[in-house]
Amino acid sequence: MMRYWWLLLLLMACKNTRKGAAENRAPLDTVNMVRPVIVTEAVQFDTDDPAIWINKQDVSKSLIVGTDKATAGALYVFNLAGKIVNRSGNLKRPNNVDVAYGLLLNGKPTDIAVTTEKETNKLRVFSLPDLKPVDNGGIDIFEGETERGPMGIALYTRPADSAIYAIVSRKSGPPDNYLWQYRLNGDDSGYVKATMVRKFGTYSGLKEIESIAVDNRLGYIYYSDEMFGVHKYFADPDNKDNRELALFARTGFKSDHEGISIYQSTDTTGYILVSNQQANTFMVYPREGAPGNPHQYPLLASIPVAAIESDGSEVTNINLGPLFPKGLFVAMSNGRVFQYYDWRDIGKRITGSK
């Protein structure tokens, strides 16, 4: 049965028209495309964005947290075999999700998953791995703004003091200060609270900004300005430098720039992967930038994948066992699923990879 999984995906893609007009989609490159090792069980409504939680006591028990984007949606938790092992209560259109480690709640370091809840204009926070709400019903964001509708989120953990920040985007907004950054802390009742510390980021106005990724070690934020490019900023709000460091990935995209994932080869090198959504490919750029210019990003490769119109993605370089010894790449796909890729299959398609 599993040997024919990609034919089933093609059939599901034909039935799923949520992403846009059919004539704007590229056909799957079934000859050259990289195929996943595992396809997850389907969620109820509409997958959108995954995050990877590493179990530091036993990496074989690491988990994938993914959003099911609908008015009665939820966070789903999958094991490394792609099986659903947990689900949150109903959420009002959760969009993107990210994870962070060791937030102090009642004096106890707690791993968390944070998702945007678009229809309530809130952040929702859950402890991991048990997926229990720790937000006292949700945290209001973009308060006082006419245009709210939170969508994208990435969590930044500052290396110097392990402070955790949420960077959040929205459906629409002003041409400047489009993203807001919040410091996350525990309150006296053991719930998570958020304090807004920074507004930054330009917006082209062409479509929306959904995917955000943070390079914790190098201290950078990247976000996809759909139909325009990828922006780069400093991640530390205490830096006081809100200038745009780079704008790249301007060419070669069929339409939308979507999910961003950062693979670390070493402390300072690796790859930035950006979903070329309607082309069913991932565009790959050097994490360290070009020689002599860390803010210049030449295209290294365009990799066709089996994931259909991928919105969100995530990657880790951690050895997660025999199927993923060099790491795991997770991509959302039409058909209400996420796909797990062996990093070795991705890496060998990138120029200069080992």
Side-chain angles (χ1 to χ4, degrees):
M1 177 70 177
M2 284 303 294
R3 66 188 294 183
Y4 300 115
W5 63 265
W6 60 276
L7 291 175
L8 295 175
L9 287 177
L10 286 173
L11 291 173
M12 286 189 291
C14 293
K15 295 179 180 179
N16 191 334
T17 60
R18 74 177 181 91
K19 296 294 181 181
E23 60 270 17
N24 195 37
R25 297 195 189 113
L28 284 177
D29 183 352
T30 57
V31 174
N32 298 307
M33 73 181 182
V34 181
R35 294 176 170 83
V37 175
I38 289 170
V39 178
T40 67
E41 295 180 324
V43 304
Q44 185 175 2
F45 299 109
D46 184 10
T47 50
D48 194 87
D49 185 55
I52 301 172
W53 176 75
I54 302 298
N55 186 323
K56 296 179 180 179
Q57 280 66 52
D58 184 351
V59 294
S60 70
K61 296 181 180 177
S62 298
L63 302 169
I64 310 303
V65 183
T67 56
D68 185 15
K69 186 171 64 175
T71 295
L75 287 184
Y76 279 75
V77 179
F78 305 87
N79 62 20
L80 292 180
K83 303 297 182 182
I84 296 170
V85 296
N86 206 347
R87 179 188 182 279
S88 72
N90 286 349
L91 298 174
K92 301 297 184 182
R93 198 173 176 84
N95 205 90
N96 281 32
V97 64
D98 202 3
V99 303
Y101 301 83
L103 182 71
L104 285 179
L105 295 180
N106 284 328
K108 178 183 177 182
T110 304
D111 298 345
I112 55 172
V114 186
T115 187
T116 49
E117 191 174 41
K118 184 180 176 184
E119 293 180 4
T120 65
N121 299 310
K122 293 182 178 183
L123 294 181
R124 301 303 311 273
V125 188
F126 298 83
S127 59
L128 290 173
D130 55 3
L131 204 67
K132 299 297 183 183
V134 290
D135 56 10
N136 197 25
I139 301 167
D140 288 313
I141 55 175
F142 295 121
E143 291 183 285
E145 294 288 285
T146 301
E147 298 171 297
R148 298 172 74 181
M151 296 184 69
I153 185 169
L155 300 181
Y156 166 57
T157 301
R158 186 164 56 194
D161 58 4
S162 298
I164 297 174
Y165 297 88
I167 300 96
V168 193
S169 68
R170 42 187 155 165
K171 178 69 175 178
S172 185
D176 296 297
N177 295 329
Y178 191 90
L179 282 75
W180 287 21
Q181 186 166 358
Y182 294 83
R183 172 75 183 265
L184 302 183
N185 289 106
D187 65 16
D188 293 338
S189 301
Y191 293 114
V192 177
K193 64 179 181 179
T195 303
M196 197 276 291
V197 296
R198 180 191 186 196
K199 302 176 184 180
F200 71 100
T202 61
Y203 166 51
S204 69
L206 291 178
K207 194 170 182 184
E208 61 196 28
I209 292 170
E210 183 174 5
S211 181
I212 311 170
V214 174
D215 190 324
N216 282 314
R217 189 175 294 276
L218 296 184
Y220 297 126
I221 293 168
Y222 303 88
Y223 62 91
S224 286
D225 192 338
E226 295 185 21
M227 300 180 69
F228 186 67
V230 175
H231 303 265
K232 176 184 181 182
Y233 286 80
F234 286 117
D236 188 347
D238 292 343
N239 189 300
K240 305 302 182 184
D241 186 347
N242 278 353
R243 64 191 170 95
E244 182 172 274
L245 301 173
L247 173 61
F248 63 100
R250 296 298 310 279
T251 61
F253 284 75
K254 186 173 179 63
S255 181
D256 293 353
H257 302 65
E258 281 286 357
I260 304 176
S261 303
I262 302 170
Y263 183 86
Q264 298 185 34
S265 300
T266 69
D267 284 350
T268 58
T269 65
Y271 304 104
I272 300 170
L273 297 92
V274 182
S275 176
N276 187 353
Q277 188 179 37
Q278 284 73 29
N280 302 317
T281 66
F282 278 86
M283 309 290 268
V284 185
Y285 305 87
R287 175 180 175 232
E288 62 274 22
N293 188 344
H295 305 313
Q296 181 180 343
Y297 293 91
L299 179 67
L300 298 178
S302 175
I303 302 176
V305 293
I308 303 165
E309 297 199 42
S310 185
D311 255 328
S313 60
E314 186 57 285
V315 69
T316 179
N317 65 352
I318 301 296
N319 179 351
L320 296 181
L323 292 179
F324 312 106
K326 294 295 185 180
L328 166 66
F329 179 71
V330 183
M332 163 270 166
S333 177
N334 282 5
R336 300 182 290 121
V337 298
F338 296 98
Q339 297 182 357
Y340 298 178
Y341 293 80
D342 179 352
W343 175 259
R344 292 174 298 178
D345 294 333
I346 300 289
K348 68 184 181 183
R349 300 293 186 94
I350 303 172
T351 301
S353 66
K354 303 287 186 178

